[in-house]
Amino acid sequence: MTDRKDELAANLAKVERRIADACTAAGRERDEVTLIVVTKTYPASDVRILSELGVRHVAENRDQDAAPKAAACMDLPLTWHFVGQLQTNKVRSVVGYADFVQSVDRSKLVTALSKEAVRTGRELGCLIQVALDAGESGRGERGGLAPEGIGELAGLVAEAPGLRLAGLMTVAPLTGEYAGREQAAFGRLLDLSTDLRRSHPTATMVSAGMSADLEQAVAAGATHVRVGSAVLGVRPRLR
Ligand SMILES: *Cc1c(COP(=O)(O)O)cnc(C)c1O
């Protein structure tokens, strides 16, 4: 356990340094960027250690994995972000622990999240997941919707009881015009965020950047980076 704490502390320090350096390079203040540690596939004991080390934001992408972990960590001062593709039959469980759902990408999900937030008397922060590689279908392979759909969905979230439109999220595309061009992709997300804030000025969160591309995200203006393997180690390829 002590070894694990040392390991996580060292990894966290490295990531912290990378974020700080990226902020300096971009002429941004360090406190403009929030680190969210993605704890998926790692145990609740790691979440507890991260909390002891000062982490305040964690993210998960599968409810089956996240729900018991969040329950085991209820006493910790953590903000929970859900970042995975979300089926409506998991909404009840997710709203039980998540403070933010970053993967809102369709109206049916907005309706379900709203209903459950109202039922439990919670206010849920919602980010619209943008697929910069969406094909003809208007949807991304790993969730998200095409930029053209943002305005309409944002309007639905903003009007839905129990939900607060918090901003936009993306994952750098592996295919399409932005493949291998992370900074251009994140720059596009920032432009879309600027557009969104004309009609929804409080939707200020821009969630972009992971272990491999957090520097590009900070350079482009992201407010939140989601870092998993650089802090916790490389995940076994289970999923
Ligand atoms: C797993 C995951 C991350 C973190 O990825 P790493 O490469 O491990 O840093 C970020 N965002 C989402 C949506 C994820 O599923």
Side-chain angles (χ1 to χ4, degrees):
M1 185 64 121
T2 323
D3 289 352
R4 185 60 171 156
K5 188 166 186 175
D6 291 346
E7 187 183 350
L8 293 182
N11 290 347
L12 210 47
K14 272 185 228 153
V15 167
E16 180 51 49
R17 164 46 53 105
R18 286 175 60 191
I19 296 172
D21 286 350
C23 285
T24 304
R28 303 181 65 192
E29 297 292 334
R30 171 62 190 88
D31 65 7
E32 293 175 39
V33 180
T34 300
L35 169 64
I36 303 173
V37 178
V38 184
T39 49
K40 64 187 184 196
T41 77
Y42 285 94
S45 54
D46 280 353
V47 178
R48 194 161 285 280
I49 294 171
L50 289 169
S51 177
E52 287 167 16
L53 293 171
V55 169
R56 290 295 169 261
H57 294 263
V58 293
E60 290 282 334
N61 74 334
R62 278 168 59 105
D63 178 60
Q64 299 93 304
D65 188 24
K69 217 184 287 185
C73 296
M74 235 167 45
D75 57 314
L76 304 176
L78 291 169
T79 297
W80 291 77
H81 298 254
F82 191 85
V83 299
Q85 292 185 44
L86 180 53
Q87 304 304 319
T88 49
N89 63 350
K90 303 288 187 201
V91 159
R92 176 164 291 199
S93 174
V94 168
V95 173
Y97 56 86
D99 300 287
F100 290 89
V101 171
Q102 298 205 1
S103 44
V104 177
D105 61 0
R106 60 199 191 279
S107 57
K108 211 176 138 193
L109 189 53
V110 173
T111 309
L113 288 168
S114 171
K115 195 173 150 203
E116 195 53 25
V118 168
R119 195 185 70 82
T120 54
R122 301 193 60 170
E123 191 193 61
L124 188 68
C126 290
L127 283 76
I128 293 178
Q129 183 179 347
V130 182
L132 294 169
D133 56 352
E136 302 270 295
S137 66
R139 317 195 54 82
E141 250 170 61
R142 290 168 297 167
L145 87 171
E148 297 71 43
I150 296 173
E152 189 181 343
L153 198 64
L156 289 179
V157 173
E159 280 165 25
L163 305 186
R164 181 167 47 83
L165 180 67
L168 300 180
M169 180 274 251
T170 202
V171 177
L174 297 173
T175 59
E177 60 172 315
Y178 290 109
R181 299 171 59 222
E182 290 80 9
Q183 187 146 348
F186 298 146
R188 174 94 167 99
L189 187 71
L190 259 292
D191 289 344
L192 294 167
S193 168
T194 303
D195 285 348
L196 178 69
R197 279 177 279 130
R198 289 204 184 94
S199 34
H200 303 280
T202 58
T204 54
M205 285 172 69
V206 181
S207 174
M210 319 201 296
S211 293
D213 53 22
L214 73 86
E215 282 84 1
Q216 287 89 336
V218 171
T223 63
H224 291 70
V225 292
R226 309 177 307 269
V227 180
S229 50
V231 173
L232 287 141
V234 176
R235 290 175 296 276
R237 290 188 67 86
L238 293 175
R239 41 196 73 158

